[in-house]
Structures are given as C-alpha cells and as structure tokens.
Amino acid sequence: MDDRLRTALETVTERQSGRNLVDAGRIEAASVMGETATIILSPPVAGQPDLDRLQPEIEAAVTGLDGITRARIVMTAHREASGGQDKPRKPAQPRRDEANAPKPAKRIIAVASGKGGVGKSTVAANLAVALARDGLKVGLLDADVYGPSAPRLFGLTDVPGLQKTDAGVQPVEAHGVKIISMGFVVKPGAAVVWRGPMVQGAIRQFLADTDWGEPDVLILDMPPGTGDAQLAIAQDIPVDGAVIVSTPQDLALDDARKAMHLFEQTHVPILGMVENMSVFICPHCGEGSHIFGTGGVKAEAEAIGVDYLGDIPLHPDLRTRSDAGEPMALDDGPVGKAFRKAARAALEAAETASKPAPSVVFD
C-alpha cells in the first residue's frame, strides 16, 4: 500500500470496532494513478455496510495529500460475521510497480454493453479508428479475455504473438490504432479457461506493462457482463467514463441498464449512450427499416439524464468490412460519418467529465 495512503487511512476510524481502517483490516487495496486514489474496502465484519459514512471521511483524508485531487472508493460484497468474532482480514497488497503507476493515456474511455450481440466491439473499434483519423494518438485494449474480437476487426488474425522489449509489451498497430488483445496470445479458436484472478491479472499486465506511447485516448473494449474484468479496471485505472452501447429494443436495454449500474457502483461516470443497429439501410434502394425498433436508446438516455452520443445504422457493408478487418470509420459514407460523430461526442464528454470540480466529486 502507498505509505501516504496508509497514513491518511489510519486517521479514519471504523465505528463498529473503534479501530482505524488499516488496523481493522478494512483496506483490500489502495493505490494512486495520476491524480486519482482508488480505495477498495471490505465491508465490516458485523453490522451494516458503512460506505455512506466512511466515504466523506476517506475523501477528506486522501484528497488532503499533495497531488491527489480525486478519490474513487469501492466496497466489496458484504461478508457475514463468523462466530461473533471480529477477525480482520489481511489487506490485499497491490503490486509495488502498480502503486504509483502513471495513467496510461490522457483520456481513458470504456465501451460496454452489459450483454453480447449488440455490436459493442465493432463500435469500440470504429470509435478508436475515428479518433485516430482525427489525428489523435489512440490505443485500444481488448479487455474481453474470453472472446477477443480486435484481431478480426482490425485484420490482424495472422499476428504470431506479442513482443516484449525493455520498454514493455509492444502493441500491434493497424489503421492508426495501437492494439493489445488476448487474441494475439492464444491460438485461433482456442478457448481461454481462466478463473477470475487470472483474468484480472492479464488485464492489469496489459494496462501496466504495454508500451502505449502516451496516447491521447485509450479505448477499453469491455467484455459483456458485470464481472472480474470490470472490477479489475475499476480498481486499477482512473477511467474517465464509460460509453454504453445498445440496440433499440427492450431486451438489450435491460442489460445496458445493468452495465450502467455497475459503473455507477464503481463510481465511473457514464459519458453517454450509443444506439447501434438503429436502422437497416437497404443496399439496393437506400430505404431504412427499423428492425429492432426505433428511439429506444435515445429515450433511455434522456430518462436517466446522460448524453445521447449518436446512432449507428445497420448496413451489410458493416458486417463484411468488419469481417475483413476494414473499419467503416475509414469511409465517408453514412456509417463512417455516424461513427466519427459518436467518437467526437464521446471524447467531448470525457473531456468534460475529467475537468476538476470546485470540490471533490466521486465520479
């Protein structure tokens, strides 16, 4: 644990035991990246979870340190008392080289959906290409360890592996984007059969050990669901915000809400929502058909008070070009323009979310 954080957290007292958070074994991890401190708390052995009370006290203690302007505080699942005994757990220690690791990019944007099949990876890849086309230095981390899509989407299915130099793991570059993916490590068609800690470790290593080259934007292509990969990212990196991808119908929106709830629980801002497959464009007559309904994502964004970043039409070329590793964001047609509009809106939202507030804001 960072010594400065340890000293600060020793000034915060747990009401149940009367001990400070460190001595009570409540700190599972505490690290600093950039100007953001991340504190992972275990719940109390007895009594109700006390995050609401502890959060402002931890905030005041941690943000009083030089160079720390924001605090991200997460409490893990509740644990039951064992035989009425107060047995503090030993705090989990972050790797020493992660404790003060620099932020890997100026802006970090997670792209998530909550479920598979809505084109989240396609959107993430094209947002990255669109930003690169605008002249930015862009990286993409394919965090879907179990089902990596980036090699196919960027036409890199024949990459023999990842190389490591003294500067770190070397990302593979295509269409102006530096890419890291588990798909470059395992054989095509091979299943990754890993438990949660191994997934978390892989994501941490990809983030911390990659020679990203100080990109302006790092896109995180999140896996579907609300599990270990998301928790690893919430613990280890100061994400500027998340872009939620959904198709218009209620079935997809149900899972999109779950993804948004996860980010809210881990204090990561929702930058906005993108409606994918919003309208089918006939390649013959050019007429549009709303196969999955219309306006569902925009209505959801308005209902919960987040930005609507744009809609991406469904076109046969998008499927064929994605399979061929030729992102549509490279083109000037309606699909390419839609991706570039959404990418600029997402970046603008990330810039706004990262501006320092007059007082500390838990984001």
Side-chain angles (χ1 to χ4, degrees):
M1 184 190 305
D2 184 291
D3 289 340
R4 296 184 305 152
L5 290 181
R6 177 185 292 275
T7 300
L9 292 169
E10 286 175 340
T11 67
V12 180
T13 301
E14 179 190 53
R15 184 170 296 169
Q16 289 88 341
S17 67
R19 294 179 296 175
N20 69 65
L21 295 181
V22 176
D23 290 344
R26 294 289 301 278
I27 309 301
E28 294 195 4
S31 60
V32 178
M33 280 195 177
E35 297 179 349
T36 300
T38 299
I39 313 297
I40 308 298
L41 290 175
S42 61
V45 172
Q48 296 297 315
D50 51 0
L51 181 60
D52 289 345
R53 183 183 69 81
L54 291 176
Q55 183 166 293
E57 297 181 24
I58 296 173
E59 163 203 338
V62 171
T63 57
L65 302 173
D66 289 341
I68 299 179
T69 61
R70 295 193 298 180
R72 178 175 294 122
I73 302 169
V74 181
M75 183 175 286
T76 56
H78 185 61
R79 54 179 172 164
E80 299 293 334
S82 176
Q85 300 297 315
D86 185 2
K87 297 179 181 179
R89 295 192 302 177
K90 182 179 179 181
Q93 299 295 324
R95 292 189 335 190
R96 180 173 297 180
D97 60 346
E98 290 177 350
N100 292 290
K103 189 175 179 181
K106 295 177 183 177
R107 295 288 174 261
I108 303 176
I109 299 174
V111 180
S113 62
K115 69 172 297 177
V118 298
K120 177 263 309 167
S121 292
T122 300
V123 171
N126 279 276
L127 293 182
V129 171
L131 293 171
R133 182 173 172 176
D134 279 347
L136 298 177
K137 295 170 63 177
V138 182
L140 183 139
L141 172 61
D142 183 358
D144 191 348
V145 172
Y146 296 119
S149 300
R152 173 70 62 187
L153 290 165
F154 283 90
L156 299 170
T157 55
D158 59 350
V159 171
L162 291 172
Q163 305 298 317
K164 188 170 184 179
T165 67
D166 291 340
V169 177
Q170 296 302 302
V172 182
E173 187 167 349
H175 308 300
V177 179
K178 292 184 176 181
I179 307 149
I180 287 289
S181 172
M182 181 60 68
F184 299 144
V185 179
V186 299
K187 295 180 180 180
V192 178
V193 186
W194 286 357
R195 295 188 183 275
M198 296 180 69
V199 174
Q200 292 175 311
I203 293 172
R204 289 179 179 132
Q205 183 175 6
F206 282 156
L207 284 167
D209 296 346
T210 296
D211 180 20
W212 291 107
E214 299 182 351
D216 298 303
V217 184
L218 179 62
I219 300 291
L220 306 180
D221 179 11
M222 302 289 288
T226 54
D228 297 300
Q230 288 86 347
L231 184 58
I233 289 170
Q235 289 178 347
D236 292 341
I237 52 174
V239 178
D240 290 288
V243 171
I244 306 299
V245 178
S246 179
T247 50
Q249 80 270 35
D250 291 340
L251 185 63
L253 285 168
D254 286 344
D255 290 306
R257 294 184 189 102
K258 296 174 185 176
M260 287 187 282
H261 182 67
L262 178 138
F263 286 115
E264 289 166 359
Q265 290 293 100
T266 52
H267 309 290
V268 173
I270 304 298
L271 302 179
M273 300 183 73
V274 172
E275 183 172 279
N276 194 30
M277 308 182 198
S278 61
V279 58
F280 170 69
I281 301 177
C282 177
H284 305 294
C285 66
E287 291 293 327
S289 299
H290 296 281
I291 297 174
F292 298 110
T294 179
V297 176
K298 185 174 183 180
E300 180 70 18
E302 292 174 351
I304 62 177
V306 302
D307 290 342
Y308 181 63
L309 304 177
D311 43 69
I312 310 299
L314 178 63
H315 193 283
D317 285 351
L318 181 57
R319 192 271 302 169
T320 57
R321 292 280 298 274
S322 295
D323 285 348
E326 301 172 357
M328 291 288 284
L330 296 169
D331 295 351
D332 292 321
V335 180
K337 289 179 179 178
F339 278 124
R340 292 199 297 279
K341 178 182 177 182
R344 290 163 183 163
L347 181 58
E348 182 178 349
E351 296 281 357
T352 300
S354 65
K355 290 180 180 178
S359 58
V360 174
V361 177
F362 287 86
D363 61 346

